Amino acid sequence: MTVLGSRPAAVVGQLSSLQQGLRILAHIQSVGSVPVSDVARALDVPTSTVYRYVTTLVDSGYVIRVDGRVMPSELLAARTGASAHLVDLAAGVLRSLRRDTGLTALVTVRVHTVAVCLESAIAHPAHRIHLSRGRVHPLYAGASVGPLLAHAPAEVLQAVLVGPMRRFTAATPDAETIRRDLPLIRSRGYALSHGEITPGMGALGIGVLAGGDCVCALSLVGDAVSVTDLERLLPRLRSAREEMEGLLARPEAENAWGSGGGIYV
């Protein structure tokens, strides 16, 4: 028999579980990017318990996990319902890029110290790409994410360079190579990669700017030989960037990505 004003034990247990999950989510949101072990230590919760909650948060789309660290996903960004989402703005641009170049076109964004592929227009089944819609990827490998890292704040760059770096292939760059290449990406305005993620595949990427920030990157992906045709591909990619920047300049796109139209720090 339940005493008036008290909660059944099952309900109390559910509330306790919810509160624990919210504590973990709040800590991840406040820190931004953190190993699971650090979450457990900060909250004085067993690591196995944190892993269980993190798995649920990842499956629900509120947290992303890469290279042993967890961070808030784009679902936790402030965005008004009336604003045009970046995916909506980019969809037509990606389709046009695919049609005109015969290559796969992607739009990626930076979320803290990782990249997320928001949308892709696949040109051919033979394009074996690691990045596809919704996939999370490190910022240090591939021209599809290179412009995002090149324009990231200094603290983000430092976090990436001192963090773990998975070697996808023999061509995956190390921290020293990245430090050397980023000024080149900024000066020439594009990134070019060959086999850094998938052997035999390459990418050509360019940053899209709005309000002084690199809001996203547009890239073309295909076999390593095709993406080196810069005389043909680079003008088309630059025109796509101009189109995207024009779309982002419209009043209705003010909050197209993240809060205030910017990106996560």
Side-chain angles (χ1 to χ4, degrees), residues 96-244:
S96 295
L97 276 173
R98 177 182 60 186
R99 180 194 64 225
D100 295 343
T101 66
L103 298 175
T104 290
L106 307 175
V107 59
T108 54
V109 295
R110 180 177 64 82
V111 180
H112 298 293
T113 55
V114 298
V116 178
C117 178
L118 289 189
E119 188 60 281
S120 60
I122 307 298
H124 196 280
H127 291 171
R128 297 170 290 114
I129 61 172
H130 183 79
L131 270 172
S132 56
R133 184 177 184 179
R135 291 287 298 273
V136 179
H137 186 74
L139 281 173
Y140 53 79
S144 293
V145 302
L148 301 175
L149 185 59
H151 293 280
E155 60 270 23
V156 172
L157 175 59
Q158 181 63 18
V160 170
L161 294 178
V162 301
M165 289 188 176
R166 174 185 171 188
R167 296 284 290 179
F168 293 95
T169 70
T172 302
D174 56 18
E176 182 179 350
T177 302
I178 292 170
R179 287 187 188 276
R180 183 195 68 210
D181 289 349
L182 289 182
L184 182 60
I185 294 175
R186 287 191 290 267
S187 65
R188 69 186 182 185
Y190 66 89
L192 183 64
S193 62
H194 300 92
E196 292 184 4
I197 306 171
T198 306
M201 299 293 291
L204 177 66
I206 196 167
V208 176
L209 305 181
D213 291 323
C214 183
V215 176
C216 64
L218 294 173
S219 60
L220 295 169
V221 180
D223 65 84
V225 175
S226 296
V227 298
T228 59
D229 188 0
L230 298 183
E231 187 175 346
R232 179 176 73 94
L233 299 178
L234 199 51
R236 183 63 187 87
L237 197 55
R238 284 172 172 158
S239 69
R241 175 185 61 189
E242 292 174 2
E243 182 179 356
M244 277 296 299

Side-chain angles (χ1 to χ4, degrees), residues 24-107:
I24 292 171
L25 182 59
H27 183 75
I28 295 171
Q29 174 77 342
S30 66
V31 175
S33 175
V34 61
V36 171
S37 57
D38 285 5
V39 178
R41 189 178 304 110
L43 299 180
D44 193 23
V45 176
T47 302
S48 59
T49 300
V50 176
Y51 269 111
R52 186 171 68 251
Y53 280 100
V54 164
T55 297
T56 300
L57 292 169
V58 170
D59 291 343
S60 301
Y62 288 98
V63 167
I64 54 181
R65 177 167 45 196
V66 65
D67 286 345
R69 303 178 74 87
V70 291
M71 59 205 72
S73 77
E74 71 277 10
L75 288 180
L76 298 181
R79 180 170 63 88
T80 64
S83 301
H85 193 274
L86 192 53
V87 171
D88 303 323
L89 299 180
V93 176
L94 295 182
R95 288 193 296 269
S96 295
L97 276 173
R98 177 182 60 186
R99 180 194 64 225
D100 295 343
T101 66
L103 298 175
T104 290
L106 307 175
V107 59

